[in-house]
């Protein structure tokens, strides 16, 4: 790709930033809302949701202690529930039929093309159902093992990885993460040379930031007071003088030369950038790639992989993503035609630790059986959720005592670009499951 010049592309980049992060009908900033922002600890925690409510999480032990229920005899969902669109999957028994019917009604009311619901009780799947089609033309029925981008549901994986490394003494949550020109001895992420080569200087205040603060969204970054550079690859490339799109280190080098809106540790502000830096710190400190750490160290399913932006580079079995949010400049081919936002309007490859994972629902459900969404081991008393939002996809991962569930959708807005009531969906699913398991915490 030819060199990207700031004058030519700054306006285009800013348009993408505004489209990604603004608007009253669609909060489109890459990675959804953290349903709980927790203190990084393996003791009892109290957390605050993005809506201002608090959730208390019971203390957890060093390893999951739930007792698995006997494996149920699965019933094909079509035998138990009268469904009006292509459906695949099973339920443990007819008690779960109403939950599946209610989920389909939610999907039908919004005409969502592809939707998967997976529920487990005591670590045993009781609902696995796929509704709709894997392609936008609606000719290929969806499968329960179809993969979706999970967007910010990536963050619980990153957090669990960091907490386990810390619990085993392999990384210090309170050590200096970011190297600055004056403090380059005992730090992990060093992009000083890249920043200075572009005529920028890493802010010395950033030397105070710890891995714990990055994981807790208290490092001082604030996308509401600046913007999320994850959706400004052309602007970053122009400022850094790059011949092509910035990689993750370039993104960090650019961002660390910007003013820090808050003093580290002072303010909670949900941050994709913070998790990007945390992921780089973990990779640098361990000398192992993020995805290899997930598979070989944390033990997550090999079905969970790193996603790719362009349709031609995606995984077999990955769904096509909805185009409700319009056409955008293809950041991979500036001279080519505009594309649907999920198919080239941003650079997923630079979102590894905060939004790049692609997975089937069952693999995320397996993760939830082992870990709470705040990254601590699941002892059967977790109560929290994390969602993930990218153009063309929406995901929910929920721990609810003995119950864990996952929702994956290939849209997040209707054709009018009105976002769905996803917080309400969590409340609805909680109501459905407690009709079958009245007290998930006993």
């Amino acid at each position: 790709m030819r060199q990207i010049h700031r004058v030519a592309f700054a306006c285009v980049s800013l348009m993408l930033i505004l489209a990604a992060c603004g608007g009253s009908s669609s909060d489109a900033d890459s990675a959804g809302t953290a349903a709980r922002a927790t203190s990084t600890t393996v003791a009892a925690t109290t957390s605050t949701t993005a809506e201002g409510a608090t959730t208390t999480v019971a203390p957890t032990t060093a390893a999951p202690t739930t007792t698995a229920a006997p494996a149920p005899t699965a019933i094909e969902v079509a035998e138990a529930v009268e469904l009006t669109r292509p459906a695949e999957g099973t339920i443990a028994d007819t008690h779960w039929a109403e939950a599946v019917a209610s989920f389909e009604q939610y999907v039908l009311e919004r005409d969502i093309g592809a939707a998967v619901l997976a529920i487990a009780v005591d670590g045993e799947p009781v609902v696995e159902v796929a509704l709709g089609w894997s392609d936008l033309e609606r000719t290929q029925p969806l499968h329960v093992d179809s993969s979706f981008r999970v967007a910010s549901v990536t963050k619980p994986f990153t957090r669990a990885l960091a907490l386990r490394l810390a619990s085993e003494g392999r990384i210090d949550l309170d050590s200096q993460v970011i190297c600055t020109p004056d403090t380059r001895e005992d730090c992990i992420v060093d992009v000083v040379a890249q920043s200075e080569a572009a005529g920028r200087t890493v802010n010395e205040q950033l030397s105070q930031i710890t891995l714990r603060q990055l994981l807790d969204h208290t490092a001082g970054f604030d996308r509401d007071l600046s913007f999320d550079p994850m959706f400004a690859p052309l602007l970053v490339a122009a400022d850094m003088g790059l011949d092509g799109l910035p990689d993750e280190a370039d993104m960090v080098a650019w961002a660390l030369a910007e003013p820090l809106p808050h003093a580290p540790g002072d303010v909670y502000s949900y941050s994709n950038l913070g998790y990007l830096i945390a992921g780089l710190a973990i990779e640098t400190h361990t000398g192992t790639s993020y995805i290899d750490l997930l598979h070989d160290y944390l033990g997550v399913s090999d079905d969970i992989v790193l996603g790719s932006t362009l349709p031609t580079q995606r995984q077999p079995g990955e769904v096509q993503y909805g185009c409700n949010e319009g056409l955008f400049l293809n950041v991979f081919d500036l001279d080519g035609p505009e594309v649907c936002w999920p198919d080239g309007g941003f650079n997923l490859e630079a979102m590894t630790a905060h939004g790049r994972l692609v997975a089937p629902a069952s693999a995320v459900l397996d993760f939830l059986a082992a870990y709470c969404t705040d990254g601590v081991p699941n002892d059967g008393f977790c109560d929290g959720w994390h969602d993930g939002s990218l153009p063309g996809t929406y995901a929910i991962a929920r721990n609810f005592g003995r119950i864990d569930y996952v929702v994956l959708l290939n849209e997040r807005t209707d054709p009018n670009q009105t976002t769905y009531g996803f917080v309400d969906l969590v409340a609805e699913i909680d109501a459905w499951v407690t009709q079958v398991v009245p007290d998930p915490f006993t």
Side-chain angles (χ1 to χ4, degrees):
M1 180 186 290
R2 65 185 184 282
Q3 186 174 24
I4 300 173
H5 298 286
R6 179 181 178 87
V7 173
F9 295 108
C11 291
V12 173
S13 297
L14 291 173
M15 289 171 65
L16 285 171
I17 295 163
L18 293 172
C21 302
S24 61
S25 64
S26 179
D27 179 15
D29 66 297
S30 108
T33 304
R36 298 193 295 142
T38 59
S39 174
T40 308
T41 176
V42 290
T45 59
T46 300
S47 58
T48 303
T49 70
E51 290 74 41
T54 59
T55 301
T56 300
V57 185
T60 62
T61 58
T65 58
T66 54
T67 301
T73 301
I75 301 172
E76 291 296 326
V77 68
E79 297 177 9
V81 187
E82 186 174 345
L83 301 170
T84 60
R85 56 167 50 195
E88 178 183 281
T90 59
I91 58 176
D93 55 60
T94 55
H95 293 95
W96 294 100
E98 184 175 343
V100 173
S102 298
F103 181 64
E104 191 203 26
Q105 185 61 35
Y106 181 93
V107 170
L108 288 174
E109 288 173 354
R110 293 155 181 82
D111 195 29
I112 298 170
V116 175
L117 172 66
I119 305 172
V121 179
D122 295 329
E124 290 293 337
V126 294
V127 172
E128 291 182 299
V129 59
L131 303 174
W133 304 265
S134 62
D135 61 329
L136 298 186
E137 292 77 20
R138 301 191 174 187
T139 62
Q140 302 298 319
L142 186 68
H143 300 295
V144 290
D145 60 355
S146 294
S147 292
F148 292 69
R149 292 173 179 168
V150 300
S152 251
V153 172
T154 300
K155 291 186 178 72
F157 289 83
T158 303
R159 190 178 175 93
L161 175 59
L163 294 190
R164 181 173 171 185
L165 287 166
S167 72
E168 297 180 357
R170 295 185 58 182
I171 196 166
D172 182 358
L173 295 179
D174 295 310
S175 62
Q176 177 186 340
V177 173
I178 299 168
C179 303
T180 64
D182 292 341
T183 54
R184 298 182 72 177
E185 297 296 327
D186 298 315
C187 51
I188 304 172
V189 176
D190 191 342
V191 293
V192 171
Q194 286 165 273
S195 182
E196 291 179 343
R200 299 168 66 82
T201 303
V202 173
N203 183 350
E204 283 294 338
Q205 188 181 15
L206 301 180
S207 65
Q208 303 170 30
I209 293 174
T210 65
L211 182 58
R212 188 187 305 274
Q213 292 167 344
L214 293 170
L215 297 171
D216 287 349
H217 301 285
T218 60
F221 306 115
D222 193 327
R223 61 187 181 177
D224 293 328
L225 296 180
S226 51
F227 61 84
D228 194 333
M230 301 305 110
F231 282 96
L234 300 183
L235 179 62
V236 172
D239 280 351
M240 298 294 290
L242 303 176
D243 292 327
L245 294 177
D247 62 19
E248 293 180 331
D250 294 324
M251 298 289 285
V252 172
W254 181 89
L256 297 186
E258 294 293 299
L260 194 64
H262 308 289
D266 279 3
V267 175
Y268 169 85
S269 180
Y270 185 85
S271 176
N272 293 317
L273 176 62
Y275 266 70
L276 171 58
I277 297 170
L280 285 179
I282 291 168
E283 288 187 319
T284 302
H285 187 75
T286 62
T288 307
S289 72
Y290 176 82
I291 196 64
D292 284 346
L293 285 168
L294 290 189
H295 292 157
D296 302 332
Y297 177 70
L298 201 61
V300 306
S301 169
D302 289 343
D303 291 334
I304 297 176
V305 298
L306 296 179
S308 298
T309 308
L310 300 178
T312 56
Q313 298 175 9
R314 291 181 193 155
Q315 298 296 315
E318 186 174 350
V319 300
Q320 294 180 6
Y321 300 103
C323 197
N324 289 342
E325 297 176 67
L327 300 178
F328 285 81
L329 176 70
N330 185 347
V331 298
F332 293 84
D333 182 7
L334 302 180
D335 297 322
E338 292 184 329
V339 294
C340 292
W341 201 354
D343 298 337
F346 56 86
N347 183 16
L348 188 68
E349 284 76 1
M351 301 182 183
T352 297
H354 69 270
R356 191 180 171 187
L357 292 184
V358 169
S362 60
V364 181
L365 199 62
D366 287 344
F367 170 79
L368 293 178
Y371 294 95
C372 305
T373 55
D374 61 359
V376 300
N378 185 348
D379 66 348
F381 292 95
C382 307
D383 186 10
W385 62 280
H386 205 298
D387 68 348
S389 175
L390 277 169
T393 193
Y394 188 79
I396 296 172
R398 169 79 159 119
N399 301 117
F400 191 35
R402 296 170 55 210
I403 299 169
D404 305 308
Y405 63 78
V406 177
V407 175
L408 302 177
L409 308 176
N410 76 332
E411 301 174 11
R412 67 176 182 179
T413 68
D414 65 19
N416 295 321
Q417 300 192 22
T418 301
T419 53
Y420 305 137
F422 295 119
V423 175
D424 295 336
L425 179 57
V426 171
E428 287 186 39
I429 299 177
D430 284 359
W432 305 339
V433 299
T434 52
Q435 291 182 33
V436 185
V437 183
D439 188 353
F441 294 94
T442 60

